Amino acid sequence: MHQTFTSLSLALAAVALSACGEQPQDMGGARQDNAPYNGVGQSQYQQPGWTVGDKASWEQQLKARAQYGMNDYSRVATQ
């Protein structure tokens, strides 16, 4: 009985400790080759007023979208 208990506890300890050595399995995040303000070329979804490759224009469009297009407080006030 004592030997069975000892071997069972050793097997349980080995299983418990094997989880400590597991390596992270992440993909390292999304890789972007170009800056987002460079765009993808001509697109029907391109916002008028945005110039491809112009970072300031990109930031201005994001600011306007956040303020007027996606902010429910400002949308309610204009109606």
Side-chain angles (χ1 to χ4, degrees):
M1 168 105 174
H2 187 319
Q3 186 176 0
T4 305
F5 179 73
T6 304
S7 61
L8 182 63
S9 55
L10 285 176
L12 184 62
V15 168
L17 289 176
S18 68
C20 296
E22 186 172 345
Q23 299 296 322
Q25 298 178 7
D26 59 347
M27 296 292 288
R31 191 184 99 210
Q32 294 181 345
D33 295 334
N34 296 325
Y37 54 84
N38 285 335
V40 295
Q42 293 295 328
S43 172
Q44 62 181 348
Y45 304 110
Q46 184 174 329
Q47 180 72 21
W50 172 59
T51 307
V52 176
D54 183 13
K55 186 175 181 180
S57 174
W58 170 265
E59 290 172 349
Q60 181 63 32
Q61 288 295 322
L62 287 178
K63 183 178 178 181
R65 178 180 175 193
Q67 183 62 36
Y68 303 116
M70 301 179 89
N71 187 345
D72 290 334
Y73 295 111
S74 66
R75 293 174 81 183
V76 171
T78 59
Q79 292 179 355

Short mmCIF file of all heavy atoms in Angstrom, two decimals, residues 12-74:
data_model
loop_
_atom_site.label_atom_id
_atom_site.label_comp_id
_atom_site.label_asym_id
_atom_site.label_seq_id
_atom_site.Cartn_x
_atom_site.Cartn_y
_atom_site.Cartn_z
N LEU A 12 1.77 11.92 -9.85
CA LEU A 12 0.99 13.14 -9.75
C LEU A 12 1.89 14.38 -9.72
O LEU A 12 1.60 15.38 -10.38
CB LEU A 12 0.09 13.10 -8.51
CG LEU A 12 -0.85 14.26 -8.32
CD1 LEU A 12 -1.83 14.34 -9.48
CD2 LEU A 12 -1.60 14.12 -7.02
N ALA A 13 2.99 14.31 -9.02
CA ALA A 13 3.95 15.42 -8.97
C ALA A 13 4.57 15.66 -10.35
O ALA A 13 4.77 16.81 -10.76
CB ALA A 13 5.02 15.15 -7.93
N ALA A 14 4.87 14.60 -11.07
CA ALA A 14 5.45 14.75 -12.40
C ALA A 14 4.47 15.41 -13.35
O ALA A 14 4.84 16.27 -14.16
CB ALA A 14 5.88 13.38 -12.93
N VAL A 15 3.21 15.03 -13.27
CA VAL A 15 2.19 15.63 -14.12
C VAL A 15 2.01 17.10 -13.76
O VAL A 15 1.90 17.97 -14.64
CB VAL A 15 0.85 14.86 -14.01
CG1 VAL A 15 -0.28 15.62 -14.66
CG2 VAL A 15 0.99 13.49 -14.63
N ALA A 16 1.98 17.40 -12.47
CA ALA A 16 1.80 18.79 -12.02
C ALA A 16 2.97 19.67 -12.44
O ALA A 16 2.78 20.82 -12.86
CB ALA A 16 1.60 18.83 -10.51
N LEU A 17 4.17 19.16 -12.36
CA LEU A 17 5.35 19.96 -12.70
C LEU A 17 5.56 20.07 -14.21
O LEU A 17 6.25 20.98 -14.67
CB LEU A 17 6.59 19.37 -12.03
CG LEU A 17 6.65 19.55 -10.52
CD1 LEU A 17 7.88 18.84 -9.97
CD2 LEU A 17 6.67 21.02 -10.14
N SER A 18 4.99 19.17 -14.98
CA SER A 18 5.17 19.25 -16.43
C SER A 18 4.47 20.48 -17.00
O SER A 18 4.87 20.99 -18.05
CB SER A 18 4.66 17.99 -17.10
OG SER A 18 3.25 17.91 -16.98
N ALA A 19 3.45 20.97 -16.36
CA ALA A 19 2.76 22.18 -16.83
C ALA A 19 3.60 23.43 -16.63
O ALA A 19 3.40 24.42 -17.32
CB ALA A 19 1.42 22.32 -16.10
N CYS A 20 4.56 23.40 -15.74
CA CYS A 20 5.40 24.57 -15.49
C CYS A 20 6.35 24.85 -16.65
O CYS A 20 6.80 25.97 -16.82
CB CYS A 20 6.21 24.38 -14.21
SG CYS A 20 5.20 24.26 -12.74
N GLY A 21 6.69 23.86 -17.42
CA GLY A 21 7.66 24.04 -18.49
C GLY A 21 7.05 24.32 -19.85
O GLY A 21 7.75 24.33 -20.85
N GLU A 22 5.75 24.57 -19.92
CA GLU A 22 5.12 24.80 -21.21
C GLU A 22 5.54 26.16 -21.78
O GLU A 22 5.56 27.16 -21.08
CB GLU A 22 3.60 24.75 -21.07
CG GLU A 22 2.89 24.86 -22.39
CD GLU A 22 1.40 24.61 -22.24
OE1 GLU A 22 0.97 24.10 -21.21
OE2 GLU A 22 0.69 24.97 -23.19
N GLN A 23 5.86 26.17 -23.05
CA GLN A 23 6.29 27.38 -23.72
C GLN A 23 5.07 28.17 -24.20
O GLN A 23 4.06 27.59 -24.56
CB GLN A 23 7.17 27.04 -24.92
CG GLN A 23 8.44 26.31 -24.54
CD GLN A 23 9.36 27.16 -23.69
OE1 GLN A 23 9.48 28.35 -23.89
NE2 GLN A 23 9.99 26.54 -22.72
N PRO A 24 5.14 29.52 -24.24
CA PRO A 24 4.03 30.30 -24.77
C PRO A 24 3.81 29.98 -26.25
O PRO A 24 4.76 29.74 -26.99
CB PRO A 24 4.47 31.75 -24.60
CG PRO A 24 5.87 31.73 -24.14
CD PRO A 24 6.24 30.33 -23.77
N GLN A 25 2.54 29.97 -26.67
CA GLN A 25 2.20 29.56 -28.02
C GLN A 25 1.59 30.70 -28.82
O GLN A 25 0.79 30.48 -29.72
CB GLN A 25 1.23 28.39 -27.97
CG GLN A 25 1.82 27.18 -27.30
CD GLN A 25 0.84 26.03 -27.21
OE1 GLN A 25 -0.25 26.10 -27.76
NE2 GLN A 25 1.21 24.99 -26.51
N ASP A 26 1.96 31.93 -28.51
CA ASP A 26 1.40 33.06 -29.24
C ASP A 26 2.08 33.22 -30.59
O ASP A 26 3.18 32.73 -30.82
CB ASP A 26 1.50 34.34 -28.43
CG ASP A 26 2.93 34.70 -28.08
OD1 ASP A 26 3.83 33.85 -28.23
OD2 ASP A 26 3.15 35.82 -27.64
N MET A 27 1.42 33.91 -31.49
CA MET A 27 1.93 34.10 -32.84
C MET A 27 2.84 35.34 -32.95
O MET A 27 3.36 35.62 -34.01
CB MET A 27 0.78 34.24 -33.82
CG MET A 27 -0.08 33.01 -33.93
SD MET A 27 0.79 31.63 -34.67
CE MET A 27 0.85 32.18 -36.34
N GLY A 28 2.96 36.11 -31.90
CA GLY A 28 3.82 37.27 -31.94
C GLY A 28 3.10 38.54 -32.38
O GLY A 28 3.72 39.56 -32.61
N GLY A 29 1.81 38.51 -32.52
CA GLY A 29 1.06 39.71 -32.90
C GLY A 29 0.96 39.87 -34.41
O GLY A 29 1.62 39.18 -35.18
N ALA A 30 0.14 40.80 -34.80
CA ALA A 30 -0.06 41.06 -36.22
C ALA A 30 1.12 41.86 -36.77
O ALA A 30 1.59 42.80 -36.13
CB ALA A 30 -1.35 41.83 -36.45
N ARG A 31 1.60 41.49 -37.91
CA ARG A 31 2.71 42.19 -38.54
C ARG A 31 2.17 43.07 -39.65
O ARG A 31 1.42 42.62 -40.52
CB ARG A 31 3.70 41.19 -39.11
CG ARG A 31 5.00 41.86 -39.54
CD ARG A 31 5.92 40.87 -40.19
NE ARG A 31 5.74 41.07 -41.63
CZ ARG A 31 5.88 40.13 -42.54
NH1 ARG A 31 6.19 38.92 -42.19
NH2 ARG A 31 5.70 40.39 -43.81
N GLN A 32 2.54 44.32 -39.61
CA GLN A 32 2.13 45.25 -40.65
C GLN A 32 3.36 45.69 -41.42
O GLN A 32 4.33 46.17 -40.84
CB GLN A 32 1.43 46.46 -40.06
CG GLN A 32 0.12 46.13 -39.40
CD GLN A 32 -0.58 47.35 -38.84
OE1 GLN A 32 0.02 48.40 -38.71
NE2 GLN A 32 -1.83 47.20 -38.52
N ASP A 33 3.31 45.53 -42.73
CA ASP A 33 4.44 45.92 -43.55
C ASP A 33 4.49 47.43 -43.75
O ASP A 33 5.56 48.02 -43.79
CB ASP A 33 4.37 45.23 -44.91
CG ASP A 33 4.51 43.73 -44.78
OD1 ASP A 33 5.14 43.28 -43.81
OD2 ASP A 33 4.02 43.02 -45.67
N ASN A 34 3.35 48.06 -43.92
CA ASN A 34 3.29 49.49 -44.17
C ASN A 34 2.55 50.18 -43.03
O ASN A 34 1.75 49.57 -42.33
CB ASN A 34 2.54 49.78 -45.48
CG ASN A 34 3.27 49.22 -46.67
OD1 ASN A 34 4.49 49.20 -46.70
ND2 ASN A 34 2.53 48.75 -47.65
N ALA A 35 2.80 51.46 -42.91
CA ALA A 35 2.06 52.25 -41.93
C ALA A 35 0.60 52.32 -42.36
O ALA A 35 0.29 52.33 -43.56
CB ALA A 35 2.65 53.65 -41.85
N PRO A 36 -0.35 52.37 -41.42
CA PRO A 36 -1.75 52.36 -41.80
C PRO A 36 -2.18 53.56 -42.63
O PRO A 36 -3.11 53.48 -43.43
CB PRO A 36 -2.50 52.32 -40.47
CG PRO A 36 -1.51 52.56 -39.42
CD PRO A 36 -0.16 52.35 -39.99
N TYR A 37 -1.49 54.69 -42.49
CA TYR A 37 -1.88 55.87 -43.25
C TYR A 37 -1.44 55.81 -44.71
O TYR A 37 -1.78 56.68 -45.50
CB TYR A 37 -1.36 57.15 -42.60
CG TYR A 37 0.13 57.18 -42.34
CD1 TYR A 37 1.01 57.55 -43.33
CD2 TYR A 37 0.63 56.84 -41.10
CE1 TYR A 37 2.36 57.57 -43.11
CE2 TYR A 37 1.98 56.86 -40.85
CZ TYR A 37 2.84 57.23 -41.86
OH TYR A 37 4.18 57.25 -41.64
N ASN A 38 -0.70 54.75 -45.09
CA ASN A 38 -0.33 54.58 -46.50
C ASN A 38 -1.47 54.01 -47.32
O ASN A 38 -1.45 54.09 -48.53
CB ASN A 38 0.91 53.69 -46.62
CG ASN A 38 2.16 54.43 -46.24
OD1 ASN A 38 2.22 55.64 -46.31
ND2 ASN A 38 3.16 53.69 -45.79
N GLY A 39 -2.44 53.41 -46.67
CA GLY A 39 -3.61 52.91 -47.38
C GLY A 39 -3.32 51.69 -48.21
O GLY A 39 -2.26 51.09 -48.14
N VAL A 40 -4.31 51.31 -49.03
CA VAL A 40 -4.19 50.13 -49.89
C VAL A 40 -4.34 50.50 -51.35
O VAL A 40 -4.53 49.64 -52.19
CB VAL A 40 -5.24 49.07 -49.51
CG1 VAL A 40 -5.00 48.53 -48.13
CG2 VAL A 40 -6.64 49.62 -49.63
N GLY A 41 -4.27 51.76 -51.67
CA GLY A 41 -4.49 52.19 -53.04
C GLY A 41 -5.89 52.75 -53.19
O GLY A 41 -6.51 53.19 -52.24
N GLN A 42 -6.42 52.70 -54.39
CA GLN A 42 -7.76 53.20 -54.65
C GLN A 42 -8.79 52.21 -54.09
O GLN A 42 -8.71 51.02 -54.31
CB GLN A 42 -7.99 53.40 -56.14
CG GLN A 42 -7.14 54.49 -56.73
CD GLN A 42 -7.50 55.86 -56.15
OE1 GLN A 42 -8.63 56.12 -55.80
NE2 GLN A 42 -6.51 56.72 -56.04
N SER A 43 -9.76 52.76 -53.38
CA SER A 43 -10.81 51.94 -52.79
C SER A 43 -12.11 52.71 -52.77
O SER A 43 -12.11 53.94 -52.59
CB SER A 43 -10.42 51.53 -51.36
OG SER A 43 -11.50 50.89 -50.72
N GLN A 44 -13.21 52.02 -52.94
CA GLN A 44 -14.51 52.67 -52.89
C GLN A 44 -14.86 53.11 -51.48
O GLN A 44 -15.76 53.90 -51.28
CB GLN A 44 -15.58 51.73 -53.43
CG GLN A 44 -15.75 50.47 -52.62
CD GLN A 44 -16.81 49.57 -53.21
OE1 GLN A 44 -17.56 49.99 -54.07
NE2 GLN A 44 -16.87 48.33 -52.73
N TYR A 45 -14.14 52.58 -50.49
CA TYR A 45 -14.42 52.90 -49.10
C TYR A 45 -13.54 54.03 -48.57
O TYR A 45 -13.60 54.37 -47.40
CB TYR A 45 -14.25 51.66 -48.23
CG TYR A 45 -15.11 50.52 -48.70
CD1 TYR A 45 -14.54 49.40 -49.29
CD2 TYR A 45 -16.48 50.57 -48.58
CE1 TYR A 45 -15.32 48.36 -49.74
CE2 TYR A 45 -17.28 49.54 -49.02
CZ TYR A 45 -16.70 48.43 -49.60
OH TYR A 45 -17.47 47.40 -50.04
N GLN A 46 -12.71 54.58 -49.41
CA GLN A 46 -11.80 55.64 -48.98
C GLN A 46 -12.58 56.91 -48.66
O GLN A 46 -13.43 57.34 -49.43
CB GLN A 46 -10.78 55.93 -50.08
CG GLN A 46 -9.75 56.94 -49.70
CD GLN A 46 -8.69 57.07 -50.77
OE1 GLN A 46 -8.39 56.11 -51.46
NE2 GLN A 46 -8.13 58.24 -50.92
N GLN A 47 -12.30 57.49 -47.53
CA GLN A 47 -12.98 58.70 -47.07
C GLN A 47 -12.51 59.90 -47.89
O GLN A 47 -11.31 60.12 -48.04
CB GLN A 47 -12.68 58.92 -45.59
CG GLN A 47 -13.32 60.12 -44.98
CD GLN A 47 -14.82 59.95 -44.82
OE1 GLN A 47 -15.32 58.84 -44.79
NE2 GLN A 47 -15.53 61.04 -44.73
N PRO A 48 -13.43 60.70 -48.41
CA PRO A 48 -13.02 61.92 -49.12
C PRO A 48 -12.29 62.87 -48.16
O PRO A 48 -12.67 63.01 -47.01
CB PRO A 48 -14.33 62.54 -49.59
CG PRO A 48 -15.34 61.46 -49.51
CD PRO A 48 -14.87 60.51 -48.45
N GLY A 49 -11.25 63.49 -48.64
CA GLY A 49 -10.48 64.41 -47.82
C GLY A 49 -9.22 63.79 -47.23
O GLY A 49 -8.40 64.49 -46.65
N TRP A 50 -9.09 62.50 -47.38
CA TRP A 50 -7.90 61.83 -46.88
C TRP A 50 -6.92 61.63 -48.02
O TRP A 50 -7.27 61.13 -49.08
CB TRP A 50 -8.26 60.49 -46.26
CG TRP A 50 -7.06 59.68 -45.88
CD1 TRP A 50 -6.07 60.02 -45.02
CD2 TRP A 50 -6.72 58.38 -46.38
NE1 TRP A 50 -5.13 59.03 -44.94
CE2 TRP A 50 -5.51 58.01 -45.78
CE3 TRP A 50 -7.31 57.52 -47.28
CZ2 TRP A 50 -4.89 56.80 -46.03
CZ3 TRP A 50 -6.68 56.31 -47.53
CH2 TRP A 50 -5.49 55.97 -46.90
N THR A 51 -5.68 62.04 -47.79
CA THR A 51 -4.64 61.89 -48.79
C THR A 51 -3.79 60.68 -48.44
O THR A 51 -3.29 60.58 -47.33
CB THR A 51 -3.75 63.15 -48.83
OG1 THR A 51 -4.59 64.29 -48.99
CG2 THR A 51 -2.76 63.08 -49.95
N VAL A 52 -3.60 59.78 -49.38
CA VAL A 52 -2.81 58.57 -49.14
C VAL A 52 -1.38 58.95 -48.82
O VAL A 52 -0.76 59.74 -49.53
CB VAL A 52 -2.86 57.64 -50.38
CG1 VAL A 52 -1.96 56.44 -50.17
CG2 VAL A 52 -4.28 57.21 -50.66
N GLY A 53 -0.85 58.40 -47.72
CA GLY A 53 0.53 58.66 -47.32
C GLY A 53 0.72 59.87 -46.43
O GLY A 53 1.82 60.12 -45.97
N ASP A 54 -0.33 60.64 -46.19
CA ASP A 54 -0.23 61.83 -45.36
C ASP A 54 -0.68 61.49 -43.94
O ASP A 54 -1.87 61.29 -43.68
CB ASP A 54 -1.10 62.95 -45.94
CG ASP A 54 -0.97 64.25 -45.17
OD1 ASP A 54 -0.05 64.38 -44.35
OD2 ASP A 54 -1.81 65.14 -45.42
N LYS A 55 0.27 61.43 -43.02
CA LYS A 55 -0.04 61.02 -41.65
C LYS A 55 -0.96 62.03 -40.95
O LYS A 55 -1.87 61.63 -40.23
CB LYS A 55 1.25 60.85 -40.86
CG LYS A 55 1.04 60.28 -39.48
CD LYS A 55 2.35 60.03 -38.77
CE LYS A 55 2.11 59.43 -37.40
NZ LYS A 55 3.35 59.16 -36.69
N ALA A 56 -0.75 63.30 -41.16
CA ALA A 56 -1.59 64.32 -40.52
C ALA A 56 -3.04 64.21 -41.02
O ALA A 56 -3.99 64.34 -40.23
CB ALA A 56 -1.04 65.71 -40.79
N SER A 57 -3.21 63.97 -42.31
CA SER A 57 -4.55 63.79 -42.88
C SER A 57 -5.21 62.54 -42.30
O SER A 57 -6.41 62.56 -41.99
CB SER A 57 -4.44 63.68 -44.40
OG SER A 57 -5.68 63.36 -44.97
N TRP A 58 -4.45 61.49 -42.13
CA TRP A 58 -4.96 60.25 -41.54
C TRP A 58 -5.45 60.49 -40.11
O TRP A 58 -6.54 60.08 -39.73
CB TRP A 58 -3.86 59.20 -41.57
CG TRP A 58 -4.13 57.94 -40.81
CD1 TRP A 58 -3.74 57.67 -39.53
CD2 TRP A 58 -4.84 56.79 -41.26
NE1 TRP A 58 -4.15 56.42 -39.17
CE2 TRP A 58 -4.83 55.86 -40.22
CE3 TRP A 58 -5.47 56.47 -42.45
CZ2 TRP A 58 -5.44 54.61 -40.32
CZ3 TRP A 58 -6.07 55.23 -42.55
CH2 TRP A 58 -6.05 54.32 -41.49
N GLU A 59 -4.61 61.17 -39.32
CA GLU A 59 -4.97 61.44 -37.94
C GLU A 59 -6.19 62.34 -37.84
O GLU A 59 -7.04 62.17 -36.97
CB GLU A 59 -3.79 62.06 -37.20
CG GLU A 59 -2.66 61.06 -36.98
CD GLU A 59 -1.41 61.69 -36.43
OE1 GLU A 59 -1.30 62.94 -36.40
OE2 GLU A 59 -0.51 60.93 -36.02
N GLN A 60 -6.31 63.30 -38.74
CA GLN A 60 -7.47 64.19 -38.76
C GLN A 60 -8.75 63.40 -39.07
O GLN A 60 -9.79 63.63 -38.46
CB GLN A 60 -7.27 65.31 -39.78
CG GLN A 60 -8.42 66.29 -39.86
CD GLN A 60 -8.62 67.04 -38.54
OE1 GLN A 60 -7.67 67.29 -37.82
NE2 GLN A 60 -9.85 67.37 -38.26
N GLN A 61 -8.68 62.47 -40.02
CA GLN A 61 -9.84 61.66 -40.36
C GLN A 61 -10.24 60.74 -39.20
O GLN A 61 -11.43 60.57 -38.93
CB GLN A 61 -9.57 60.82 -41.62
CG GLN A 61 -9.53 61.62 -42.88
CD GLN A 61 -10.87 62.25 -43.20
OE1 GLN A 61 -11.91 61.66 -43.00
NE2 GLN A 61 -10.83 63.47 -43.69
N LEU A 62 -9.26 60.19 -38.50
CA LEU A 62 -9.58 59.36 -37.33
C LEU A 62 -10.22 60.19 -36.23
O LEU A 62 -11.17 59.74 -35.57
CB LEU A 62 -8.31 58.68 -36.80
CG LEU A 62 -7.76 57.54 -37.62
CD1 LEU A 62 -6.49 57.01 -36.97
CD2 LEU A 62 -8.78 56.44 -37.77
N LYS A 63 -9.72 61.39 -36.03
CA LYS A 63 -10.29 62.27 -35.00
C LYS A 63 -11.73 62.64 -35.36
O LYS A 63 -12.62 62.62 -34.51
CB LYS A 63 -9.43 63.53 -34.88
CG LYS A 63 -9.87 64.46 -33.80
CD LYS A 63 -8.94 65.66 -33.71
CE LYS A 63 -9.40 66.62 -32.65
NZ LYS A 63 -8.53 67.79 -32.58
N ALA A 64 -11.98 62.97 -36.62
CA ALA A 64 -13.33 63.33 -37.06
C ALA A 64 -14.26 62.12 -36.94
O ALA A 64 -15.42 62.27 -36.52
CB ALA A 64 -13.29 63.84 -38.50
N ARG A 65 -13.78 60.95 -37.28
CA ARG A 65 -14.61 59.75 -37.18
C ARG A 65 -14.98 59.46 -35.73
O ARG A 65 -16.13 59.12 -35.44
CB ARG A 65 -13.86 58.57 -37.78
CG ARG A 65 -14.62 57.29 -37.70
CD ARG A 65 -13.81 56.16 -38.31
NE ARG A 65 -14.52 54.91 -38.10
CZ ARG A 65 -13.99 53.74 -38.29
NH1 ARG A 65 -12.76 53.63 -38.72
NH2 ARG A 65 -14.67 52.65 -38.07
N ALA A 66 -14.01 59.60 -34.85
CA ALA A 66 -14.29 59.34 -33.44
C ALA A 66 -15.24 60.38 -32.86
O ALA A 66 -16.10 60.06 -32.04
CB ALA A 66 -12.98 59.34 -32.65
N GLN A 67 -15.13 61.61 -33.31
CA GLN A 67 -15.95 62.68 -32.75
C GLN A 67 -17.37 62.68 -33.31
O GLN A 67 -18.33 62.80 -32.56
CB GLN A 67 -15.31 64.04 -33.02
CG GLN A 67 -16.06 65.20 -32.41
CD GLN A 67 -16.14 65.12 -30.90
OE1 GLN A 67 -15.21 64.68 -30.25
NE2 GLN A 67 -17.25 65.52 -30.34
N TYR A 68 -17.51 62.51 -34.60
CA TYR A 68 -18.82 62.70 -35.22
C TYR A 68 -19.50 61.39 -35.63
O TYR A 68 -20.72 61.31 -35.62
CB TYR A 68 -18.70 63.60 -36.45
CG TYR A 68 -18.08 64.93 -36.10
CD1 TYR A 68 -16.86 65.30 -36.62
CD2 TYR A 68 -18.71 65.79 -35.22
CE1 TYR A 68 -16.28 66.51 -36.29
CE2 TYR A 68 -18.14 67.00 -34.87
CZ TYR A 68 -16.92 67.35 -35.42
OH TYR A 68 -16.35 68.55 -35.08
N GLY A 69 -18.73 60.40 -36.00
CA GLY A 69 -19.34 59.19 -36.51
C GLY A 69 -19.62 58.14 -35.46
O GLY A 69 -20.55 57.37 -35.59
N MET A 70 -18.81 58.11 -34.40
CA MET A 70 -18.94 57.02 -33.46
C MET A 70 -19.22 57.49 -32.03
O MET A 70 -19.29 56.69 -31.13
CB MET A 70 -17.66 56.17 -33.47
CG MET A 70 -17.36 55.59 -34.83
SD MET A 70 -15.87 54.63 -34.84
CE MET A 70 -16.53 53.04 -34.41
N ASN A 71 -19.40 58.77 -31.83
CA ASN A 71 -19.66 59.31 -30.51
C ASN A 71 -21.16 59.51 -30.35
O ASN A 71 -21.74 60.42 -30.93
CB ASN A 71 -18.90 60.62 -30.32
CG ASN A 71 -18.99 61.12 -28.90
OD1 ASN A 71 -19.81 60.68 -28.12
ND2 ASN A 71 -18.14 62.08 -28.57
N ASP A 72 -21.81 58.67 -29.59
CA ASP A 72 -23.26 58.72 -29.45
C ASP A 72 -23.72 60.00 -28.77
O ASP A 72 -24.82 60.48 -29.03
CB ASP A 72 -23.78 57.52 -28.66
CG ASP A 72 -23.66 56.23 -29.44
OD1 ASP A 72 -23.67 56.31 -30.68
OD2 ASP A 72 -23.58 55.16 -28.82
N TYR A 73 -22.91 60.57 -27.90
CA TYR A 73 -23.31 61.81 -27.23
C TYR A 73 -23.43 62.96 -28.20
O TYR A 73 -24.37 63.75 -28.14
CB TYR A 73 -22.32 62.15 -26.10
CG TYR A 73 -22.34 61.13 -25.00
CD1 TYR A 73 -21.25 60.29 -24.80
CD2 TYR A 73 -23.44 60.98 -24.17
CE1 TYR A 73 -21.26 59.34 -23.79
CE2 TYR A 73 -23.46 60.03 -23.16
CZ TYR A 73 -22.37 59.22 -22.97
OH TYR A 73 -22.39 58.28 -21.98
N SER A 74 -22.49 63.07 -29.13
CA SER A 74 -22.58 64.16 -30.11
C SER A 74 -23.66 63.89 -31.14
O SER A 74 -24.26 64.81 -31.67
CB SER A 74 -21.23 64.39 -30.79
OG SER A 74 -20.90 63.26 -31.58
#
